Amino acid sequence: MQKIFIGRTFRGSITLPDTKEAKQLFFRVKRAYEKRETLNISLLFGAKRLARLKTYQKGGAREELLNLELYIELGQILGFDTTDARQLKNAIELINDTAHTHFNIAKRVSLINKQAKSRTDQSYLFWDIENFSNITAIFNDLIEPNEIPDEHIYLAANPDSLYLKKKEWEANLYDYGKTLDSFNFTKCDHGKNVADDLLLQNFKRLRLQNSDVYIMTFDRELKERFLAHCHKSNNLFIMKK
């Protein structure tokens, strides 16, 4: 978390994205704001880079999008106009066909069982895929950056969702060289909260310690149940809406 001071006045805090240029960009924008210089996307990208962003980018220009989101959030905190950045962000997502698939997981994951993250040895993911099926975002923003191995990923889905969405899920997983069977995937029985119960059972059975534990669900009750059974040495992460 990066604190923002303008002069001696505290203006707020911001989480820097995991990009090579994030910290440099933060101080560049802050310095320009303090000097009352013109603030626009030229602070982020040079003319040649801006021109390249108007064409398809391998990987969907993911780092550029994260830097744009940082700039836009700084604008919200400091009160400067970011219309040009928002327009560029929308254009990049449209050109790269990520407008409906890009969902920045990293900025929505929140540590809930302690004040600060402790040192851990491994990472696990418990994923309610039927209620959180944005596979591209999960891989790009969570699984790959945190190097979560396939055998540490637990998924569950009920029969109805599996029947309706399996082809879509498998098609998206194919881009990463995976199938549902690449992970600890369980087809649930019918009934309310069955998938949640299975994920929690897997978590309890593993008796994890010194681990980063990510729960991909928006279900408040499931988050509370995981928290109740989480060892204090773990870092428990949930999704914020």
Side-chain angles (χ1 to χ4, degrees):
M1 187 67 70
Q2 180 72 52
K3 294 182 179 179
I4 305 170
F5 285 91
I6 302 299
R8 295 184 178 181
T9 304
F10 176 68
R11 299 291 292 272
S13 299
I14 193 168
T15 300
L16 299 182
D18 185 19
T19 66
K20 295 178 182 178
E21 300 173 340
K23 197 163 189 177
Q24 181 182 5
L25 172 61
F26 170 81
F27 287 107
R28 190 186 307 154
V29 173
K30 179 176 178 291
R31 184 167 56 250
Y33 180 85
E34 289 175 323
K35 292 182 177 181
R36 300 186 179 181
E37 296 176 354
T38 300
L39 290 162
N40 54 49
I41 54 175
S42 64
L43 286 169
L44 285 72
F45 312 115
K48 290 183 178 179
R49 196 169 178 188
L50 277 172
R52 287 199 301 270
L53 289 173
K54 294 179 181 179
T55 61
Y56 175 79
Q57 302 289 305
K58 184 178 180 180
R62 178 175 174 273
E63 289 213 354
E64 288 85 349
L65 285 169
L66 290 174
N67 287 335
L68 279 166
E69 289 179 1
L70 170 62
Y71 179 80
I72 291 167
E73 192 171 345
L74 282 169
Q76 293 173 338
I77 294 172
L78 297 176
F80 61 83
D81 182 57
T82 58
T83 300
D84 57 347
R86 294 175 187 275
Q87 291 174 342
L88 177 60
K89 178 176 179 289
N90 291 337
I92 292 172
E93 290 180 332
L94 182 62
I95 292 167
N96 293 280
D97 194 27
T98 58
H100 300 291
T101 60
H102 182 78
F103 183 80
N104 188 354
I105 299 295
K107 296 186 75 170
R108 290 170 171 82
V109 167
S110 178
L111 179 66
I112 64 166
N113 66 325
K114 57 185 69 172
Q115 290 293 322
K117 185 178 183 295
S118 57
R119 181 176 295 182
T120 53
D121 302 323
Q122 53 195 348
S123 297
Y124 285 79
L125 171 63
F126 297 86
W127 184 1
D128 183 356
I129 192 171
E130 61 187 289
N131 291 323
F132 205 93
S133 57
N134 196 322
I135 288 169
T136 299
I138 294 283
F139 269 87
N140 291 347
D141 295 337
L142 187 62
I143 293 175
E144 292 181 345
N146 292 288
E147 300 180 345
I148 305 176
D150 294 352
E151 62 270 21
H152 287 185
I153 298 174
Y154 290 79
L155 292 84
N158 69 39
D160 294 333
S161 296
L162 193 61
Y163 175 77
L164 293 172
K165 298 182 179 180
K166 182 178 181 181
K167 289 183 179 179
E168 177 187 339
W169 293 339
E170 293 282 16
N172 291 332
L173 286 169
Y174 180 81
D175 292 337
Y176 299 92
K178 309 291 183 182
T179 69
L180 290 172
D181 292 332
S182 299
F183 316 105
N184 299 293
F185 175 72
T186 304
K187 175 183 175 182
C188 307
D189 294 326
H190 288 281
K192 181 177 173 58
N193 295 329
V194 173
D196 292 349
D197 289 339
L198 278 172
L199 291 174
L200 183 64
Q201 287 173 21
N202 286 324
F203 177 62
K204 292 166 65 176
R205 176 179 55 81
L206 289 167
R207 297 184 179 181
L208 298 177
Q209 295 186 29
N210 300 307
S211 300
D212 289 335
V213 179
Y214 297 89
I215 311 169
M216 290 300 102
T217 180
F218 284 129
D219 186 277
R220 179 184 299 177
E221 182 182 351
L222 181 60
K223 296 172 186 177
E224 293 174 350
R225 293 165 72 193
F226 265 86
L227 181 59
H229 292 90
C230 184
H231 191 272
K232 63 181 180 181
S233 66
N234 295 321
N235 296 314
L236 184 63
F237 297 91
I238 64 167
M239 288 300 302
K240 297 182 293 185
K241 291 187 178 181

